[in-house]
Amino acid sequence: GENVEQHPSTLSVQEGDSAVIKCTYSDSASNYFPWYKQELGKRPQLIIDIRSNVGEKKDQRIAVTLNKTAKHFSLHITETQPEDSAVYFCAASGYGGATNKLIFGTGTLLAVQP
Amino acid sequence: DGGITQSPKYLFRKEGQNVTLSCEQNLNHDAMYWYRQDPGQGLRLIYYSQIVNDFQKGDIAEGYSVSREKKESFPLTVTSAQKNPTAFYLCASSPSGTGGYEQYFGPGTRLTVT
């Protein structure tokens, strides 16, 4: 069935280091891959997204890469800061054709140690 | 934080009672969604609606019901048939159509049933 696997479930890095979170999706028809950041008790907010016709996208310290052949995509955060600490969710869309339904990964708790 | 609102922020109910969670958006989005989030888990889709007067079950629809009588509103009723209703409930909206779109989330309602 439709599935998005996300790893690792927790990640601890030192301030200034890089963090990488990886996701794998199951439906080859997926064509949209957003990443959301959720701070404790708050709503998820989009930080970056990528579509299937692009292999990489970058926005300042954040980048996402997509490998359609392997059906996986990754979030890269460079020069991490304490305010990057949060739960990060990947998602994949395009399931079922015209629907915008997103399937979410189980999340990664990122802790940036000062 | 305009755009999509949920009320109330916290809700307490006794077991056996139905409860309705409100979700309103003024983003002119066709599609709306309800997710359930449990501690340490991802976002699981309860119901979604692509257009007024139409909605589909998500992955965990049992014990829940929805209506979509207006474009702006997508209320969720948690019925007494839901075995473990205590959770954080998130509503979202997005444009509709092919290609995938960002989903905008409301602030959430934390429901506690005792």
Side-chain angles (χ1 to χ4, degrees):
Chain A
E2 304 161 352
N3 186 45
V4 175
E5 293 188 0
Q6 182 172 348
H7 299 282
S9 57
T10 60
L11 180 59
S12 181
V13 299
Q14 290 296 125
E15 182 176 358
D17 287 350
S18 295
V20 180
I21 302 170
K22 298 181 179 181
C23 288
T24 303
Y25 60 99
S26 59
D27 191 339
S28 56
S30 293
N31 54 17
Y32 174 65
F33 308 91
W35 285 89
Y36 286 83
K37 175 183 180 182
Q38 186 180 28
E39 297 177 356
L40 188 63
K42 300 287 181 66
R43 72 185 83 192
Q45 293 192 300
L46 182 79
I47 55 171
I48 195 167
D49 55 12
I50 192 168
R51 297 191 181 274
S52 57
N53 58 347
V54 175
E56 184 174 0
K57 185 177 179 180
K58 190 173 182 180
D59 182 4
Q60 300 182 8
R61 297 186 297 108
I62 295 172
V64 57
T65 58
L66 171 65
N67 183 327
K68 283 198 67 180
T69 303
K71 291 192 283 188
H72 67 69
F73 56 112
S74 301
L75 177 70
H76 305 253
I77 305 174
T78 59
E79 300 172 25
T80 53
Q81 301 167 4
E83 51 265 38
D84 294 330
S85 296
V87 178
Y88 292 81
F89 293 99
C90 64
S93 182
Y95 289 92
T99 184
N100 293 303
K101 190 170 76 169
L102 289 176
I103 305 296
F104 284 85
T106 50
T108 296
L109 175 61
L110 173 64
V112 180
Q113 310 295 335
Chain B
D1 280 341
I4 181 165
T5 59
Q6 292 182 243
S7 62
K9 188 173 182 179
Y10 298 96
L11 191 54
F12 298 88
R13 280 294 183 270
K14 293 290 186 184
E15 200 172 303
Q17 293 179 335
N18 291 356
V19 60
T20 297
L21 281 58
S22 167
C23 179
E24 304 277 334
Q25 55 98 1
N26 62 3
L27 300 169
N28 200 34
H29 287 163
D30 285 316
M32 296 187 74
Y33 314 82
W34 274 105
Y35 294 92
R36 171 180 171 140
Q37 187 172 32
D38 294 286
Q41 295 193 29
L43 302 169
R44 293 185 290 169
L45 184 65
I46 304 172
Y47 268 98
Y48 63 106
S49 168
Q50 299 284 325
I51 198 168
V52 174
N53 292 322
D54 187 46
F55 48 83
Q56 290 80 39
K57 292 182 179 180
D59 302 316
I60 55 166
E62 186 175 349
Y64 300 98
S65 66
V66 294
S67 63
R68 187 84 188 276
E69 297 176 1
K70 297 188 300 181
K71 187 175 185 177
E72 302 79 17
S73 178
F74 191 40
L76 172 75
T77 297
V78 184
T79 75
S80 56
Q82 168 50 231
K83 295 288 188 278
N84 297 295
T86 294
F88 188 49
Y89 290 89
L90 286 159
C91 179
S93 70
S94 78
S96 185
T98 58
Y101 297 92
E102 175 185 356
Q103 290 186 11
Y104 295 80
F105 285 86
T109 291
R110 191 167 298 280
L111 173 65
T112 302
V113 177
T114 57

